[in-house]
Amino acid sequence: MYTLVSASSGKCVDVAGGSTVTVTTYADLVEYATASAPYIIRVNGAVTATPSGNEIKVASNKTIIGVGAGGQVVSGGFHLGVGAHNVITENLTIRDTRVASDGPDDKEFDYDGIQTDPAHHIWTDRNTIVRMDDGLIDGRQDTGYPTVSWNVIAEPKQTGSTCVGCSGQQETGGSAFTPSSFHPYRLDPAANVPNPVRTYAGPQASIGL
C-alpha cells in the first residue's frame, strides 16, 4: 500500500551559503553528509550503502536531493542524531534493507529509512521509501518541527479507502494516533487523492537538475 503523507509543524530552509556538490558514490555521500560545513548534496544515480543497513549520520545544515528521478540510496538510510537541524532530504528513493531472518519486531536489524533521534527542523519531501527492515520515517525522542510532504511510503494505517473494481473482503487495518489531536490540517477526500499522488508524490524528474 502506498500513500501521500503530508504533515507540517516547522520550517526548514535550503542551506544558505553551502557549497553544491554532486555525488555518484556512497563514500562521497557519506563524506559530505557527515561534514561539519553546510552542503547541498546532489545524489546522481543509485549509490549502495556499505555495510548493508548503514544509516549515514547526517550533520546539520544539509540538503540531500536526488537528481531527477534517479537519485537512490540502496541498502541504507539516514540517521539525524542529537542536535542535528536544518536538514532537507528530498527527491530520493531510499530502499531495500530488509533482512529475511529478522523477527517480527525488527529488533535485530534496526535499519530505518530516515531516523531522527531527536533532531529538529527537518524536512522530508518527495521521497519514495520502501522495503526497509524497520521504520521508514522514524521520528523519535522528541524530534521537533518535522515536515513530511509528498512522500511515497509502504506499512501505514489504512482507513476510509475508496475501492474501484475491487472484490472480496474489504476491511480497515493498522493503528496510529489521530493527527488532528495535535495540529489542524485539511484532509482530502479519498476519491480526490489518486491524481495528485500520481503526479507529485515520489522523486520528480524536474527536481535537482
Side-chain angles (χ1 to χ4, degrees), residues 142-203:
D142 295 328
T143 291
Y145 302 104
T147 298
V148 180
S149 55
W150 293 106
N151 294 278
V152 177
I153 61 175
E155 301 158 73
K157 177 181 178 180
Q158 184 279 123
T159 184
S161 296
T162 297
C163 296
V164 178
C166 301
S167 61
Q169 182 177 350
Q170 309 295 319
E171 61 184 63
T172 294
S175 61
F177 65 90
T178 302
S180 59
S181 298
F182 298 89
H183 62 86
Y185 69 99
R186 179 179 60 85
L187 183 65
D188 291 319
N192 296 348
V193 169
N195 285 336
V197 168
R198 292 188 188 105
T199 303
Y200 299 115

Side-chain angles (χ1 to χ4, degrees), residues 45-94:
V47 298
T48 301
T50 304
S52 181
N54 185 58
E55 295 178 10
I56 299 173
K57 292 178 172 55
V58 182
S60 298
N61 300 312
K62 301 293 184 296
T63 292
I64 305 174
I65 184 170
V67 176
Q72 301 184 44
V73 177
V74 183
S75 297
F78 298 100
H79 181 269
L80 283 58
V82 176
H85 62 278
N86 199 37
V87 176
I88 300 171
T89 309
E90 182 177 23
N91 210 56
L92 290 167
T93 296
I94 304 170

